[in-house]
Amino acid sequence: MRPLLCCLGLAALLGPCLACPSACSCSTKKNGRLLAECAYKDLQEVPKGLSSNVSILTLSANRIGWLGQSSFAEVPDVQSLWLGYNQIGVVEPGAFSFLVHLKNLDLSHNKIVDFPWQDLRNLSGLQILKMNNNRLAGLPWDAFRFLKDLRSLWLNDNELTTLAEGTFDNLPSLSQLQIFNNPFNCSCKVFWLKKWTENTSVSVTKGGSTLCVAPNRLKGRPVTDIPNHYCVAPSVQLTYLSNLDNTVMYDGLTLTLHCSVAGSPPPEIRWKIQTSSRRVEITGPNVARDGNVKQSQERFLVFKNGTMAIPNFRKEDEGIYTCLAVNDVGTRDVSVNVALAGSDNPAEDLLQDDPQASHLGGQSCYKGDEMDPSGAGEKLVIVYHMPRESKSRAGGAVPQVNLGILLLALGITLYW
């Protein structure tokens, strides 16, 4: 009786380890890992009844079209998961997030358009990821951010038209990358990729097949051949109409700033204004050809040629005025700190309030590639002296300024 009980007990212990769906064949490898071989079985879903200690699961060349959140709940210890050559079009969020031991994941040759990239955050031990020959049209810049052990990444033969800068950052173990046969639009948004491939030690397989399909002038050329002069980071110069030696600016007069930019493609000009009471962001001009002011920022008149005019400038308009130049290659900005002061020595008073500020005598500040790449710009302060005897004028009614008269007085040539 005792030998029989021992046999039954042993069977009970081994039973779960040997569980295997009828469509699969299961075996133990020499290294002790349990292999579940379920390839070429015409399966339409992940089979049930797999042992919990399966470490290698092969499901290639079936007809699986969907992966649910619980599809791999039975195999939490799987290290290699092969799902290539199926018909997978839907992957639910959470399908892979609990497979924390996963090292190899093959999803190639499927129909995946959208993928739950957040699932990869828990797969820090992943070493090989194959997603080639799918229908991926885009992916977030931080899709692979947590894959510190990733060595090989296959993204070729998808529908990627662009890649965000930084996509392959934070991958210290990456040694092989395949991105060929994607319909890249070689605008300056992918210019970073050219620079990255020139400086990386990663092997970019078949780099010559990573071709542009647009624009027409680059069609058929490798991404790595985008001419440098097509894509130039912005530079920006900010000038203002004043004379720091003689200017006395009373409340009610007009402050005019002009932002000159250069770069390729031509940068877009944006403004940021920060005063003590509000923050304003203006993208593009808000003054139309007929002089009407668009949007609700009528205090700040922005023209197409890069000029900003602040009519009836008063104490509450004091603050930091920043011009940004933005194109597909990058962003540059430069700022001026504009203040009205009421003492006989306004610069001294302002510097006491802001020890880091510098009272400069020039009338422009510049931000370009050769300057500090932080984008902080120069700490330039424009101080307008408002004598004590004029304070009574400041408290009076603010005159209204007709926009047409304002432009004529400024003598500004606007280019539309």
Side-chain angles (χ1 to χ4, degrees):
M1 184 68 178
R2 183 173 294 175
L4 178 60
L5 291 175
C6 291
C7 291
L8 291 174
L10 183 61
L13 291 173
L14 295 177
C17 297
L18 299 175
C20 191
S22 58
C24 306
S25 59
C26 302
S27 60
T28 303
K29 309 293 285 184
K30 291 181 179 179
N31 56 12
R33 295 179 181 176
L34 185 61
L35 166 65
E37 177 63 64
C38 311
Y40 296 95
K41 301 298 182 181
D42 207 32
L43 297 174
Q44 298 186 33
E45 60 181 14
V46 178
K48 302 296 183 182
L50 291 163
S51 297
S52 60
N53 60 342
V54 165
S55 58
I56 304 173
L57 177 57
T58 302
L59 290 162
S60 305
N62 282 291
R63 294 195 295 125
I64 299 172
W66 168 85
L67 297 176
Q69 188 174 4
S70 60
S71 291
F72 304 106
E74 294 181 338
V75 289
D77 295 331
V78 68
Q79 296 181 25
S80 297
L81 180 56
W82 310 110
L83 287 157
Y85 292 93
N86 275 280
Q87 300 176 17
I88 300 170
V90 176
V91 182
E92 288 188 354
F96 301 105
S97 60
F98 298 108
L99 303 181
V100 295
H101 302 287
L102 202 59
K103 294 183 178 180
N104 306 306
L105 176 58
D106 181 6
L107 288 162
S108 62
H109 295 272
N110 278 286
K111 301 177 181 179
I112 299 173
V113 176
D114 296 312
F115 184 81
W117 301 104
Q118 64 273 18
D119 280 16
L120 300 182
R121 294 185 178 183
N122 295 330
L123 309 186
S124 58
L126 197 64
Q127 297 178 7
I128 298 175
L129 177 58
K130 295 184 177 182
M131 302 193 72
N132 53 293
N133 293 88
N134 275 282
R135 299 176 182 175
L136 298 172
L139 48 94
W141 70 270
D142 60 347
F144 314 114
R145 182 180 177 184
F146 300 95
L147 305 183
K148 303 300 183 183
D149 292 336
L150 190 67
R151 294 185 288 105
S152 182
L153 176 60
W154 298 31
L155 294 168
N156 55 285
D157 293 277
N158 274 284
E159 297 178 8
L160 300 171
T161 59
T162 189
L163 288 170
E165 186 170 359
T167 297
F168 307 121
D169 290 352
N170 302 308
L171 296 176
S173 302
L174 189 65
S175 60
Q176 182 189 32
L177 173 66
Q178 297 191 172
I179 54 174
F180 59 90
N181 290 346
N182 277 288
F184 283 113
N185 181 344
C186 292
S187 70
C188 291
K189 291 182 179 179
V190 297
F191 187 67
W192 72 270
L193 185 59
K194 168 192 166 110
K195 296 296 186 182
W196 182 82
T197 56
E198 290 173 350
N199 296 295
T200 186
S201 60
V202 176
S203 173
V204 184
T205 308
K206 292 187 178 180
S209 298
T210 308
L211 304 179
C212 307
V213 298
N216 286 333
R217 62 184 178 180
L218 296 176
K219 188 173 182 179
R221 294 180 64 172
V223 172
T224 53
D225 284 352
I226 299 175
N228 289 337
H229 67 272
Y230 281 6
C231 303
V232 180
S235 62
V236 55
Q237 184 178 16
L238 187 58
T239 56
Y240 51 95
L241 302 184
S242 70
N243 185 325
L244 290 178
D245 295 329
N246 303 315
T247 294
V248 175
M249 181 175 178
Y250 302 99
D251 274 6
L253 296 185
T254 297
L255 172 67
T256 303
L257 305 173
H258 182 72
C259 189
S260 300
V261 300
S264 180
E268 172 190 353
I269 295 177
R270 302 176 186 175
W271 290 91
K272 288 186 178 180
I273 302 140
Q274 181 175 348
T275 68
S276 59
S277 60
R278 61 176 169 170
R279 292 183 179 182
V280 178
E281 294 189 13
I282 304 175
T283 301
N286 62 8
V287 178
R289 288 170 179 257
D290 57 5
N292 291 326
V293 181
K294 298 180 290 186
Q295 305 173 0
S296 59
Q297 307 299 342
E298 63 279 355
R299 284 289 303 128
F300 310 102
L301 307 178
V302 177
F303 302 91
K304 190 174 182 179
N305 73 333
T307 295
M308 173 189 286
I310 305 98
N312 306 322
F313 193 91
R314 45 188 183 261
K315 193 72 175 176
E316 55 265 34
D317 296 324
E318 290 182 330
I320 300 173
Y321 289 73
T322 302
C323 173
L324 299 94
V326 182
N327 68 9
D328 291 340
V329 187
T331 300
R332 293 290 186 273
D333 64 80
V334 67
S335 303
V336 289
N337 194 339
V338 185
L340 285 170
S343 73
D344 290 331
N345 193 350
E348 181 179 334
D349 290 349
L350 186 61
L351 292 175
Q352 289 177 356
D353 295 336
D354 186 0
Q356 295 181 348
S358 59
H359 180 217
L360 303 181
Q363 288 187 284
S364 68
C365 46
Y366 177 80
K367 185 68 182 175
D369 290 335
E370 70 280 1
M371 301 189 69
D372 179 9
S374 65
E378 296 295 329
K379 184 70 174 182
L380 180 66
V381 179
I382 307 173
V383 182
Y384 291 103
H385 181 196
M386 184 173 68
R388 289 189 178 92
E389 61 268 19
S390 68
K391 289 181 180 179
S392 59
R393 184 184 302 188
V398 177
Q400 298 295 317
V401 179
N402 179 275
L403 181 58
I405 297 175
L406 168 65
L407 298 181
L408 182 61
L410 291 174
I412 297 174
T413 302
L414 301 182
Y415 297 96
W416 305 96

